[in-house]
Amino acid sequence: MFNELKKMLSRTAVAGGLCLSVASMALAGVETAKFQNGAFGYQGTTDRFLSDRENGAYDADGDTVASYYLDGFATGDQFGDTQYLVCFEDIIGDANNQIPADATILDAELTVTTSLAGNAHTGGPFGVSALLQEFGSSTTYFGDFSSAENAPECGSRGAWWQDGSATRPAGGYGRQMQGYQDSATVTRLVQSWVDGTVENYGMVVQAGMNNNLSSGANTTDGWSIRSTGYPIADQRPELKVTYTTQDVEINSFQEGVNDYAGTTMIFINSGSNALVADDGEEVNDVSTEEYFWFDGIQFSDIEGNTSSPDLMSLIKFDGIFDQVPSDVPVAKAWIVLTTTTESTAAQSGGPYSAYTMLTEWDMTSMHSSFGETNGLQVGEGEISLLDTQDGMIQGAEVWFDVTDYVEGVRTGATDYGIAIQGNGTADGWQVFTPGCSDLTVRPRLVVYSADLDS
């Protein structure tokens, strides 16, 4: 557990011609900046599509096309791995039209629009990482990125986190429909640019890849998105950043890190029938497990039999207000889960949701322990929705916003922890647990404390 105090200076910024106080949040110390080529005078976006096919013959700069297809690698697939590189330049600094260099990022979203081209839609997942090297109009998949050290069979995986050319993914896109706009949560990536721990070389949107060309550890369901060349500015990629320059205290809780030992996590399996207690129902204490699976329920009949069980998790971090100030509002809080690379099916299009638990549970709680209908239901008052995330590619961090839950505990609500479960998906997802031997990928709770209304 660590505790650091970030000293901020109050200031005003104008970003890309638009910088406004967030009236909906009614907080004096919060600003939102939007960056989108052609909108409010901003012209700093550069983008490029990279393909592993035919030595760059299918590469394209974003300002030369209205839209383009992303895809994932598959053996014998004529389309191959196609990635999207995008950089929003000159967004950080002391001048007007920039985010202050001492800002704390409360939220950042990369929004893209699915085109109306044939088969533009996808089931995903596609993830987002920060680039660790520059790109330009001459950048190519094999010429500028190498996986020779970590995945020599591949030769290149484009910009990929395991090869040192990108950060671990943090944010993603799941199922997309034609003409649909969707946002990936990239808060951590933008904060790393502001802190200066990562240079702003932009981001990569990709299907991801494993160490084995034949593994199939990624989607091959292509996705067509609109680029900076699209004629209507509102449909171009947009980066939206909400930040504060007030004092923010940051605390992080992760089992085994800095002597923290307060994490409790179980996985509950409904068994083959999710409406009755049966022999397949089980609870798993994952304190000694490296990783475990989520899955979403899919009923095969009205009797409760399933083709995909309800496999959910309950998690709680005890004693956080021994460190987090109880007399300062919780400005933001996240639970962070990390997708494994242990299975070729670890990735998921999602969506999965985090909920405030409103009822008691313990290490023996089963699926049938809850409610009139087995499992956890919003309508039965057992859980309350906090946040939904999707697009979990191999190795990706997933940041669930649990601010309301932590602030509720601070102000006196009983702490029953958090539930995480599928929310309209039967696409399983494998994550690291508190028992994982690698402490850095264990679940963690990150809490920002600040009085943003002062």
Side-chain angles (χ1 to χ4, degrees):
M1 180 173 47
F2 71 84
N3 177 7
E4 65 171 309
L5 183 64
K6 300 186 70 178
K7 296 298 183 181
M8 305 299 175
L9 300 175
S10 298
R11 65 199 309 166
T12 302
V14 177
L18 177 67
C19 184
L20 47 113
S21 296
V22 185
S24 62
M25 298 180 68
L27 297 174
V30 176
E31 303 286 339
T32 292
K34 296 182 180 181
F35 304 91
Q36 186 177 45
N37 261 17
F40 304 101
Y42 182 73
Q43 294 291 344
T45 311
T46 302
D47 55 351
R48 181 166 173 78
F49 296 88
L50 292 186
S51 173
D52 65 357
R53 293 188 293 158
E54 299 184 26
N55 296 318
Y58 290 89
D59 296 350
D61 287 329
D63 60 1
T64 66
V65 294
S67 62
Y68 210 80
Y69 278 93
L70 309 185
D71 211 343
F73 176 83
T75 303
D77 186 354
Q78 62 174 318
F79 299 109
D81 185 28
T82 303
Q83 304 179 357
Y84 177 59
L85 313 183
V86 58
C87 184
F88 297 86
E89 299 175 359
D90 300 321
I91 64 174
I92 300 165
D94 294 329
N96 286 339
N97 308 332
Q98 294 181 309
I99 299 170
D102 56 0
T104 297
I105 308 304
L106 303 174
D107 187 56
E109 297 179 338
L110 176 63
T111 300
V112 296
T113 304
T114 303
S115 80
L116 298 179
N119 293 321
H121 55 282
T122 183
F126 289 85
V128 186
S129 299
L131 288 165
L132 296 179
Q133 62 187 64
E134 291 182 286
F135 73 91
S137 59
S138 62
T139 299
T140 63
Y141 191 98
F142 288 99
D144 292 271
F145 303 99
S146 172
S147 64
E149 182 176 345
N150 299 305
E153 181 183 358
C154 302
S156 176
R157 294 183 279 192
W160 184 238
W161 68 276
Q162 289 175 306
D163 301 326
S165 50
T167 63
R168 183 183 287 274
Y173 304 91
R175 184 172 302 278
Q176 307 295 319
M177 301 301 293
Q178 289 179 323
Y180 183 68
Q181 284 192 329
D182 194 18
S183 301
T185 301
V186 295
T187 308
R188 181 177 68 81
L189 307 185
V190 177
Q191 185 67 67
S192 70
W193 299 337
V194 173
D195 292 342
T197 56
V198 173
E199 189 75 22
N200 179 16
Y201 295 127
M203 294 173 276
V204 55
V205 182
Q206 60 192 167
M209 196 178 293
N210 208 298
N211 290 338
N212 188 331
L213 281 175
S214 61
S215 71
N218 51 263
T219 186
T220 56
D221 187 2
W223 179 32
S224 175
I225 63 172
R226 290 172 176 163
S227 68
T228 56
Y230 193 75
I232 299 174
D234 289 349
Q235 301 292 301
R236 296 169 184 164
E238 178 192 72
L239 179 64
K240 178 181 177 181
V241 182
T242 301
Y243 65 91
T244 183
T245 53
Q246 297 204 21
D247 291 352
V248 176
E249 181 175 324
I250 302 174
N251 287 279
S252 181
F253 303 87
Q254 192 169 32
E255 192 72 8
V257 176
N258 294 324
D259 298 323
Y260 181 71
T263 312
T264 302
M265 189 178 194
I266 61 173
F267 279 78
I268 296 173
N269 190 335
S270 68
S272 59
N273 190 307
L275 296 184
V276 299
D278 60 30
D279 293 338
E281 188 180 20
E282 61 182 9
V283 59
N284 295 275
D285 174 3
V286 293
S287 59
T288 60
E289 301 284 347
E290 290 283 323
Y291 41 79
F292 217 82
W293 287 95
F294 287 97
D295 210 345
I297 192 167
Q298 182 170 331
F299 287 106
S300 55
D301 60 35
I302 63 174
E303 304 301 325
N305 294 301
T306 67
S307 57
S308 175
D310 190 6
L311 218 174
M312 61 184 178
S313 179
L314 306 179
I315 185 169
K316 185 179 177 186
F317 294 82
D318 284 322
I320 65 171
F321 285 101
D322 293 339
Q323 183 72 31
V324 175
S326 59
D327 58 345
V328 180
V330 175
K332 293 291 288 190
W334 298 269
I335 276 187
V336 186
L337 301 182
T338 302
T339 311
T340 80
T341 55
E342 303 300 319
S343 167
T344 59
Q347 71 279 357
S348 176
Y352 283 84
S353 294
Y355 302 82
T356 300
M357 275 293 289
L358 302 175
T359 188
E360 290 182 302
W361 58 278
D362 58 33
M363 302 300 288
T364 65
S365 295
M366 304 285 277
H367 193 263
S368 58
S369 301
F370 303 103
E372 293 183 21
T373 304
N374 288 1
L376 297 171
Q377 320 296 329
V378 172
E380 294 183 6
E382 298 156 328
I383 51 175
S384 175
L385 180 63
L386 291 164
D387 188 27
T388 299
Q389 296 290 327
D390 57 8
M392 302 83 160
I393 66 171
Q394 293 262 322
E397 288 186 345
V398 182
W399 289 62
F400 291 99
D401 187 333
V402 296
T403 306
D404 289 348
Y405 154 72
V406 181
E407 175 64 1
V409 174
R410 185 190 75 85
T411 56
T414 302
D415 186 2
Y416 295 123
I418 287 174
I420 299 174
Q421 61 182 14
N423 190 358
T425 185
D427 187 5
W429 175 35
Q430 190 183 59
V431 302
F432 291 110
T433 71
C436 182
S437 55
D438 182 355
L439 273 62
T440 67
V441 295
R442 290 177 175 179
R444 69 184 185 273
L445 176 68
V446 180
V447 182
Y448 286 10
S449 300
D451 186 355
L452 299 180
D453 200 20
S454 61

